[in-house]
Amino acid sequence: MDKIDEIHQLLITDLPLLEPKYIACIELFFHNSIEIDEENECEENEIVAGESERDGYTFDELYDMAEKGDADAQTVIATCYLSGDGVVQNFRLAFEWMQMAARQGQVQAQCLVGEMYYEGMGTEQDQEKAFEWWMKAAIQGEADAQNYIGWVYDVGLGVESDYTEAFKWFVMAAEQGLAMAQANVGEYYELGKGVPKDLEQAVVWYRKAAELECEKAVEALKRLGR
């Protein structure tokens, strides 16, 4: 299993509490972002020129685009500061760039701004703002954000716990193929949380998630003897 496969495994098994450095790498993987030589070293805020490309653009070109207001480019630059790819890791700058993109409606950036508020990375920890940004992305159809919202309602983080509402959001994300959300839907059917208990439906959703190598789902199927 190579590094990207390991990162993908983290995505499908550990949401919604991934470390920010993994979240950044996930964004790079799923949105064909940029590949940068990890051995490069640079001074704070210095960009490694010409070492990476995304959709035919070099890092320098992307940075120029970001400065001119391109939300997708801003998101890429933010993830690089977040993970320390090509620049010295700087959570404050990561948050500033991510927020610029999020305010323009870039859904991945909105989801990550929510995560940064939740973790207190580059900004003060603020669960209410985390929920607000996750919701902005969720209502635009961003599956990870929908799974976050489901989790917030499940555990009652800053809101009153509401299993019916949590189930609704988990289903939205699950129907888009997000493995962890599929496992969450399976769990809700298994336990009868927010929906009538239905072991057959639980198995259906666990199997969908297990096919995507979600460990939670694999373990659930073993527990149920399926």
Side-chain angles (χ1 to χ4, degrees), residues 19-198:
E19 291 293 325
K21 62 182 178 181
Y22 295 132
I23 295 170
C25 291
I26 289 164
E27 290 301 311
L28 296 177
F29 173 61
F30 277 105
H31 303 287
N32 296 318
S33 295
I34 54 178
E35 297 177 357
I36 299 176
D37 185 354
E38 294 180 352
E39 296 180 357
N40 282 316
E41 295 182 358
C42 50
E43 299 298 322
E44 183 174 3
N45 301 336
E46 180 185 352
I47 298 172
V48 179
E51 290 293 332
S52 61
E53 293 186 0
R54 176 184 182 274
D55 297 332
Y57 294 104
T58 67
F59 192 101
D60 284 343
E61 289 170 336
L62 280 167
Y63 196 88
D64 183 60
M65 291 164 62
E67 288 187 315
K68 292 177 179 177
D70 185 290
D72 290 335
Q74 290 170 347
T75 303
V76 175
I77 298 303
T79 60
C80 291
Y81 278 119
L82 193 60
S83 61
D85 284 334
V87 292
V88 172
Q89 189 175 52
N90 188 314
F91 295 142
R92 179 183 59 80
L93 286 175
F95 180 78
E96 289 177 1
W97 281 110
M98 200 72 76
Q99 192 171 53
M100 288 181 201
R103 286 172 173 168
Q104 295 192 68
Q106 216 283 356
V107 292
Q108 288 81 29
Q110 289 176 339
C111 188
L112 287 169
V113 166
E115 177 69 19
M116 295 183 79
Y117 269 122
Y118 175 75
E119 296 283 357
M121 304 300 293
T123 186
E124 292 185 5
Q125 189 173 38
D126 191 322
Q127 294 179 351
E128 289 185 4
K129 288 184 178 179
F131 179 81
E132 290 175 5
W133 282 105
W134 282 335
M135 182 62 79
K136 287 178 186 290
I139 61 178
Q140 292 193 71
E142 215 286 328
D144 287 338
Q146 291 170 342
N147 192 55
Y148 279 125
I149 295 299
W151 171 71
V152 167
Y153 278 113
D154 177 64
V155 300
L157 182 69
V159 298
E160 185 175 350
S161 182
D162 186 331
Y163 293 150
T164 300
E165 189 71 9
F167 180 75
K168 180 185 77 174
W169 288 102
F170 284 145
V171 168
M172 289 183 193
E175 289 179 341
Q176 294 194 64
L178 186 64
M180 192 60 189
Q182 292 172 341
N184 289 335
V185 171
E187 181 179 60
Y188 265 51
Y189 272 120
E190 179 186 358
L191 302 177
K193 294 173 65 176
V195 67
K197 186 173 181 178
D198 188 329

